[in-house]
Amino acid sequence: MSAITGIYNINDEPIQMEQGRKLMQALERFPADDASVWHSHNVFFGCHAQWITPESVGELLPYYDSERQLAITADAIIDNREELFERLGIKRDRRKTMTDSELILLSYSKWGEESPKYLIGDFAYMIWDEKKQQLFGARDLSGYRTLYYYRDNVRFAFCTTIEPLLSLPYVEKKLNEEWLAEYLAITGPINTASESTTPYKNVDQIPPSHSFVVRGNHIKLTRYGFLNARETLKFKSNEEYVEAFQEVFQEAVISRLRARRKIGAQLSGGLDSGAVVGFAARALRDSQQKIHTFSYIPPKDFVDFTPNYMIANETPYIQSTVQYVGGIIPHYLDFKGRDSYTEIDSYLDVMEMPYKFFENSFWIKGIFEAAAEQGIGILLNGDRGNFTVSWGSTYDYYASLLKRVKWVRLFQELHQFSSKVGGPRLGRLPIVAGVAFPKLEQMLSPGSGWRLPSMINPDFANKSGVYDRLQEYGINRKKGWVTDLGIYREREIFFERLFPWNTGNALTTKLSLRYGLWKRDPTNDARVVRFCLSVPEEQYVQNGMDRALIRQSTKGYLPDEVRLNQTVKGVQGADWVYRMIPFWNKFLKEAELLTQDGITLQYLNGEVIKSALEKARQGPKIELATDPEYKLLVRSVIVYRFMKKFT
């Protein structure tokens, strides 16, 4: 619930308090309920605290436990408090007021370097162990909170954000070309495959799921946990799977409702955010506490160009959820006058690095602003739901049936699927076959495997060896995403590897700090993730229904119009070109300047950018919002702006 920072002088030199003050001053850009420091001879800890949970009000951070000779500074909300109370033998009269940082410290005192394994929640923290003369810290399993650091032979400095570290006199602000090469070469939504690097040569980050020890001039990184299935669940009926899911999901939602201020939630017209809101509203019903929901919608004069199976304005589905669930104060936000282009500098300031999700940038930040204005302390969301609670793709499952020669089950499923969404049953077999045998599909339709344009200068790519490096991570050069191993293996890789998580979590942490509220995701809870990975695949697709488990589990929580909708899919950010129309010429002029900038073109692919620029000069066509060249041009301008920080 804080921004944390600190310095450890490895060579035992006394701390220069001016450097500590520089770190704390750099954090003053964020709102805070308290700002405190602690230091010993060669260690400095700081905390720029935001009080989010009831227990955090008045919390002393950094905190020094003189009995155990341990000091801690923490950015954390721990969700399995009751379990830890029992394991640690905490007396009942202490439980209500005990802070999360105290729980972390007691866990370390009992389990030492194994302690992060016992923690569930969103956290990054640092502990100074005076007896062992070492720093120990950890970042949560999916890295929902960030933790950056600088080290050399004589000092180790850390912080929740990057900019304060760059204020230190010994940290040189230098571009990390290895990071940039990966960022430019990967055409998909992730930034890099290296989970510990940053855009700055001298600043790294602690990877998700890792703890670390700094003793002397040595740092030891250890992966302490995995988000994987422990065993496949085997219940006797669908109802038992539903009951078990509801139990674990409700626990995850309730544990994220600890807030000293109002509860808010992002709400679209879909299942993931709807499920979170539905379960949260039921949990708050007895206390008569209402949830503020925040929903992005396009401006009224935007003409939806998307196919009839998509919808850019999800208002009817959102309203249906609001009316059915009850206990909701809805906010429908069209952010008229805001756009992705004029937000670039603000976002670079927030992110401290380039970003690729520009289509949604104006409304993601806008929802945080609106939530802060309403006094929200916790902002719920369902961002991880596609990989957890709402997993279940019909065509991929049907493809697996085809490959396993499960003909009877396949035809039964195709019949039921067609009866729900319309269309001929056998007419879908070619689609299923294409998913099952993608190489055959490419041979029959060679134009279908088109390649996204890459931003990277080919000479820079060769010089950096980036494609060989990405291949080692299993990233497909043509697809720009993970593998050709199929959606099931990609899901496993998503939770096995760490690189997909840093991008979104950097945004979450930094927007949370900027607006003094925490974005929290029950679909990302470790207990929920492990449960969902343990569920047999046939529970996710059955009786012609995709995402079957969440659809059945939200009966009574969501209206059938939303719960059983398989024909229309919401698409967010479809209006980004429309919103940029007033600034299109300014955007083109900046892109033109980019094509003349020799320094930037050492890294970016000038020919590809010029081709995209020619298309953009034909005028802003709102129906090209998904066009890869349009997207590449905006992403290139974002990198161009970021590169100016180094000139």
Side-chain angles (χ1 to χ4, degrees):
M1 297 167 289
S2 313
I4 61 173
T5 190
I7 302 170
Y8 165 43
N9 283 342
I10 297 166
N11 60 357
D12 203 40
E13 284 188 4
I15 287 292
Q16 296 182 30
M17 289 304 296
E18 178 59 29
Q19 293 178 8
R21 281 191 286 270
K22 279 183 176 291
L23 292 172
M24 294 299 289
Q25 286 170 1
L27 293 174
E28 289 177 0
R29 60 190 302 211
F30 304 121
D33 296 297
D34 188 30
S36 299
V37 302
W38 171 89
H39 68 95
S40 65
H41 172 68
N42 63 328
V43 179
F44 168 88
F45 278 1
C47 183
H48 196 78
Q50 297 175 345
W51 297 337
I52 303 297
T53 66
E55 302 83 11
S56 68
V57 177
E59 180 178 14
L60 180 61
L61 275 175
Y63 169 70
Y64 179 70
D65 185 328
S66 57
E67 178 185 346
R68 296 174 178 82
Q69 293 181 276
L70 299 172
I72 184 171
T73 187
D75 174 28
I77 296 182
I78 302 302
D79 294 322
N80 62 329
R81 285 169 60 88
E82 293 302 322
E83 177 189 3
L84 290 172
F85 289 152
E86 293 298 323
R87 284 180 175 272
L88 295 169
I90 306 299
K91 294 181 180 179
R92 294 201 170 273
D93 60 351
R94 283 280 290 118
R95 296 182 179 186
K96 189 173 183 180
T97 58
M98 178 167 282
T99 65
D100 289 338
S101 60
E102 287 181 272
L103 269 176
I104 294 170
L105 203 63
L106 291 174
S107 297
Y108 175 76
S109 180
K110 181 177 179 64
W111 296 300
E113 295 177 22
E114 298 289 307
S115 56
K117 295 180 180 180
Y118 297 88
L119 307 177
I120 294 175
D122 306 334
F123 58 79
Y125 61 85
M126 193 74 73
I127 293 171
W128 171 243
D129 189 326
E130 201 166 61
K131 293 178 181 178
K132 294 183 179 180
Q133 289 291 293
Q134 69 177 27
L135 284 177
F136 176 81
R139 192 173 170 202
D140 64 76
L141 278 167
S142 59
Y144 217 65
R145 306 302 288 183
T146 54
L147 189 58
Y148 302 98
Y149 69 92
Y150 164 86
R151 75 179 182 107
D152 57 27
N153 290 328
V154 297
R155 60 183 69 83
F156 178 94
F158 66 91
C159 193
T160 302
T161 60
I162 297 173
E163 196 66 33
L165 295 174
L166 300 176
S167 72
L168 294 172
Y170 42 81
V171 182
E172 182 184 4
K173 187 176 182 179
K174 186 176 181 181
L175 179 66
N176 185 346
E177 292 189 352
E178 180 179 305
W179 186 97
L180 183 63
E182 291 186 12
Y183 180 90
L184 297 175
I186 297 172
T187 56
I190 64 172
N191 280 356
T192 67
S194 305
E195 64 270 6
S196 60
T197 59
T198 77
Y200 298 91
K201 183 71 172 176
N202 299 304
V203 179
D204 290 319
Q205 62 181 317
I206 303 301
S209 304
H210 277 69
S211 63
F212 61 99
V213 173
V214 183
R215 184 185 297 115
N217 61 0
H218 298 287
I219 180 170
K220 181 183 72 173
L221 280 169
T222 303
R223 184 160 187 177
Y224 65 81
F226 292 82
L227 283 167
N228 53 5
R230 290 172 177 169
E231 58 182 13
T232 301
L233 294 172
K234 295 180 181 179
F235 295 136
K236 295 180 180 179
S237 65
N238 291 342
E239 290 74 22
E240 289 185 14
Y241 284 102
V242 167
E243 290 174 7
F245 172 82
Q246 289 175 334
E247 181 180 349
V248 70
F249 190 60
Q250 186 74 71
E251 182 181 20
V253 171
I254 290 174
S255 65
R256 283 162 174 76
L257 298 179
R258 290 166 49 224
R260 72 182 186 98
R261 291 183 285 147
K262 299 174 186 176
I263 300 292
Q266 292 180 216
L267 180 63
S268 70
L271 280 170
D272 297 335
S273 62
V276 171
V277 168
F279 277 74
R282 181 166 296 192
L284 294 171
R285 194 167 293 166
D286 290 342
S287 65
Q288 298 185 333
Q289 184 177 355
K290 293 183 180 293
I291 299 176
H292 287 256
T293 58
F294 300 88
S295 305
Y296 148 73
I297 58 174
K300 292 180 180 179
D301 52 356
F302 171 71
V303 179
D304 191 353
F305 63 87
T306 58
N308 58 9
Y309 57 86
M310 292 184 174
I311 184 170
N313 189 343
E314 300 178 66
T315 299
Y317 294 97
I318 298 168
Q319 290 176 334
S320 180
T321 295
V322 168
Q323 293 166 5
Y324 185 89
V325 172
I328 292 174
I329 301 173
H331 303 270
Y332 299 92
L333 307 168
D334 66 7
F335 302 112
K336 191 171 179 64
R338 299 185 65 165
D339 65 279
S340 300
Y341 180 67
T342 58
E343 295 274 346
I344 291 176
D345 282 340
S346 175
Y347 250 93
L348 287 174
D349 182 54
V350 169
M351 288 292 293
E352 306 180 292
M353 64 187 67
Y355 58 95
K356 296 179 179 178
F357 51 84
F358 69 88
E359 301 95 328
N360 300 323
S361 59
F362 62 88
W363 67 260
I364 292 175
K365 186 156 70 70
I367 283 179
F368 269 84
E369 292 172 357
E373 289 172 1
Q374 293 296 325
I376 302 300
I378 295 291
L379 182 66
L380 301 171
N381 71 95
D383 288 353
R384 191 55 58 82
N386 285 341
F387 286 94
T388 57
V389 301
S390 65
W391 178 255
S393 164
T394 48
Y395 285 121
D396 287 287
Y397 180 63
Y398 297 162
S400 73
L401 294 177
L402 178 62
K403 291 169 76 172
R404 289 182 286 153
V405 200
K406 301 286 185 179
W407 295 104
V408 175
R409 179 70 185 275
L410 174 60
F411 282 102
Q412 288 175 342
E413 282 288 340
L414 284 173
H415 175 73
Q416 292 171 308
F417 183 62
S418 296
S419 68
K420 285 180 168 60
V421 303
R425 176 183 62 175
L426 296 180
R428 290 189 165 86
L429 268 178
I431 303 175
V432 174
V435 175
F437 307 105
K439 291 185 178 179
L440 177 63
E441 172 72 8
Q442 291 172 16
M443 291 173 59
L444 297 175
S445 304
S448 62
W450 61 275
R451 183 172 165 183
L452 289 168
S454 174
M455 287 191 290
I456 193 167
N457 181 314
D459 291 336
F460 177 47
N462 292 332
K463 176 184 173 184
S464 65
V466 64
Y467 288 124
D468 290 338
R469 196 160 63 249
L470 293 180
Q471 190 172 4
E472 293 176 4
Y473 283 96
I475 293 182
N476 182 290
R477 178 174 176 177
K478 292 183 179 180
K479 292 176 68 176
W481 190 222
V482 183
T483 68
D484 285 320
L485 300 178
I487 192 171
Y488 299 115
R489 180 58 184 144
E490 287 190 11
R491 186 195 192 200
E492 292 175 3
I493 288 173
F494 182 83
F495 289 109
E496 286 174 4
R497 298 182 180 174
L498 306 173
F499 60 79
W501 303 348
N502 279 328
T503 304
N505 292 342
L507 176 64
T508 296
T509 298
K510 292 167 186 180
L511 284 179
S512 292
L513 288 174
R514 174 69 64 95
Y515 296 104
L517 57 93
W518 267 47
K519 186 176 179 180
R520 308 222 60 210
D521 183 3
T523 69
N524 186 56
D525 185 287
R527 296 162 293 192
V528 171
V529 173
R530 287 173 175 143
F531 177 88
C532 290
L533 292 176
S534 300
V535 171
E537 199 62 36
E538 56 267 22
Q539 285 297 316
Y540 287 113
V541 180
Q542 58 178 247
N543 303 321
M545 184 186 295
D546 66 354
R547 304 198 283 174
L549 182 60
I550 190 68
R551 295 188 192 279
Q552 295 179 82
S553 299
T554 50
K555 186 175 183 179
Y557 290 84
L558 290 176
D560 286 353
E561 179 185 1
V562 173
R563 184 175 71 88
L564 301 178
N565 172 33
Q566 289 185 256
T567 57
V568 179
K569 182 180 180 181
V571 54
Q572 297 169 334
D575 57 349
W576 74 265
V577 175
Y578 170 80
R579 290 173 178 272
M580 278 179 56
I581 289 175
F583 309 98
W584 199 254
N585 288 335
K586 186 177 180 181
F587 165 58
L588 294 181
K589 288 179 181 178
E590 185 169 9
E592 178 69 39
L593 289 174
L594 162 58
T595 63
Q596 301 168 13
D597 187 285
I599 295 176
T600 304
L601 291 181
Q602 293 177 36
Y603 304 105
L604 272 66
N605 190 330
E607 294 304 314
V608 170
I609 294 170
K610 287 176 183 177
S611 174
L613 182 57
E614 284 303 311
K615 179 181 285 189
R617 284 196 180 108
Q618 298 173 19
K621 300 178 181 180
I622 63 172
E623 68 274 13
L624 294 183
T626 59
D627 183 81
E629 289 189 295
Y630 266 39
K631 291 188 173 190
L632 175 136
L633 199 59
V634 180
R635 287 182 177 183
S636 298
V637 168
I638 291 170
V639 174
Y640 176 51
R641 293 260 192 108
F642 179 75
M643 293 293 294
K644 290 181 178 180
K645 295 178 178 289
F646 297 92
T647 57

